[in-house]
Amino acid sequence: MTMEKEYFSHETAVIDKGSKIGKGTKIWHFSHIMTGSEIGENCNIGQNVVISPEVKLGRNVKVQNNVSVYTGVICDDDVFLGPSMVFTNIINPRSSIVRKDSYLTTIVERGATIGANATILCGIIIGRYAFIGAGAVVTRDVKPYSLVIGNPARHTGWMSEFGHKLFFDEKGFAICPESGDRYRLEHGIVTKII
């Protein structure tokens, strides 16, 4: 008796034995899910994506076309990885030197967005609900709710959980125009008021 898989994969996708794929996940054309990777429930893996060994993706992660998620990357729930964005996993790669024991961990926290063609250097933490603009080159940790753009990426503002720029009043309060959620900015840290 064969058990029906609980996720969808296009006939051209390669799913290695020993990978874990959550219920409701969709894996599209020419993508490769490698042994030892873990993909949570209800994820969407676009066309021409590689998920390397030991990568962990939480629930509802969206990986757009042409993204390689290398060993060392951990994405929490609700992360968005834009088209053709790039992760690295070694600081000083050389073709002639094997450094597989030197992979650095990169953490993308819950709800963060990484825009199209952005580059994320390894060994950093991208805070929850941070927003990395298209084409940015991120070379250091990014604070939660921070908006960063450019090369090298620099902080230019704050974003709500709904993806809108926040404008804080003189008392350090802001309201998301879509959700109505309230935020506070204090000592360079943004928190959502519950």
Side-chain angles (χ1 to χ4, degrees):
M1 181 175 170
T2 307
M3 195 164 125
E4 195 74 27
K5 64 184 181 184
E6 295 184 316
Y7 62 88
F8 166 82
S9 61
H10 188 269
E11 62 185 16
T12 61
V14 176
I15 314 291
D16 290 350
K17 289 182 180 179
S19 56
K20 295 179 183 176
I21 301 169
K23 183 177 181 179
T25 287
K26 295 178 180 171
I27 302 165
W28 294 99
H29 308 66
F30 313 112
S31 289
H32 185 184
I33 311 303
M34 299 178 79
T35 300
S37 60
E38 296 180 23
I39 300 173
E41 294 181 357
N42 299 315
C43 292
N44 191 70
I45 309 299
Q47 181 174 302
N48 194 37
V49 168
V50 174
I51 307 294
S52 294
E54 300 173 35
V55 164
K56 290 182 174 63
L57 303 181
R59 296 172 48 102
N60 195 41
V61 173
K62 305 291 191 277
V63 183
Q64 301 300 297
N65 297 347
N66 307 311
V67 175
S68 294
V69 187
Y70 295 122
T71 300
V73 174
I74 299 169
C75 295
D76 204 349
D77 298 345
D78 303 320
V79 164
F80 180 89
L81 304 178
S84 302
M85 62 79 47
V86 176
F87 285 108
T88 66
N89 61 1
I90 295 177
I91 289 289
N92 57 343
R94 291 287 194 201
S95 179
S96 62
I97 301 170
V98 177
R99 292 199 165 115
K100 290 184 179 181
D101 59 344
S102 300
Y103 292 158
L104 296 179
T105 301
T106 300
I107 298 173
V108 184
E109 293 182 344
R110 181 183 183 115
T113 290
I114 301 176
N117 292 307
T119 299
I120 310 300
L121 295 189
C122 56
I124 65 171
I125 297 171
I126 296 176
R128 66 192 181 285
Y129 300 102
F131 200 101
I132 312 302
V137 178
V138 180
T139 60
R140 60 184 175 208
D141 291 353
V142 177
K143 290 181 181 181
Y145 299 100
S146 183
L147 168 64
V148 299
I149 61 172
N151 180 6
R154 65 196 181 287
H155 172 86
T156 61
W158 304 100
M159 298 290 275
S160 75
E161 292 180 11
F162 274 60
H164 293 280
K165 194 162 185 182
L166 293 170
F167 298 95
F168 289 91
D169 64 20
E170 65 282 350
K171 294 181 181 178
F173 293 98
I175 298 175
C176 173
E178 184 174 354
S179 68
D181 291 339
R182 299 183 71 222
Y183 296 84
R184 175 145 195 194
L185 174 61
E186 191 172 32
H187 307 297
I189 298 171
V190 169
T191 54
K192 183 178 170 184
I193 300 170
I194 299 176

